[in-house]
């Protein structure tokens, strides 16, 4: 069982060691921070707060030169 878990983790660990992997992980981290900041700013789930949260998220992603997230795929 432990060997299986290690085998699953090896490709991800190897990719994280490459330059492209490092950039990808940094961009995911920035994207996650944008999501967290938008959620902290507008924690309610009213239609107005949802719209403001989405707008702030899009602006943060654009300011960080990150691709937009597909908000239609988000859980409702």
């Amino acid at each position: 069982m432990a060997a299986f878990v290690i085998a699953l983790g090896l490709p991800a660990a190897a990719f994280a060691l490459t330059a492209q992997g490092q950039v990808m992980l940094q961009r995911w981290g920035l994207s996650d921070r944008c999501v967290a900041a938008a959620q902290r700013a507008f924690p309610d789930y009213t239609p107005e707060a949802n719209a403001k949260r989405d707008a702030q998220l899009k602006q943060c992603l654009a300011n960080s030169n990150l691709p937009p997230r597909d908000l239609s795929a988000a859980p409702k």
Side-chain angles (χ1 to χ4, degrees):
M1 181 64 173
F4 179 71
V5 172
I6 291 171
L8 285 178
L10 283 179
F15 188 66
L17 296 177
T18 66
Q20 183 180 11
Q22 289 295 319
V23 169
M24 180 193 67
L25 290 174
Q26 289 171 350
R27 291 174 62 95
W28 277 353
L30 283 172
S31 180
D32 288 344
R33 283 192 286 276
C34 285
V35 170
Q39 184 63 41
R40 276 192 311 272
F42 303 101
D44 298 331
Y45 286 98
T46 62
E48 297 84 15
N50 287 342
K52 290 178 182 177
R53 182 172 47 251
D54 291 346
Q56 181 174 339
L57 175 58
K58 287 179 185 179
Q59 185 63 45
C60 180
L61 292 173
N63 291 345
S64 298
N65 198 26
L66 296 170
R69 286 189 169 207
D70 183 12
L71 300 176
S72 64
K76 299 191 182 207

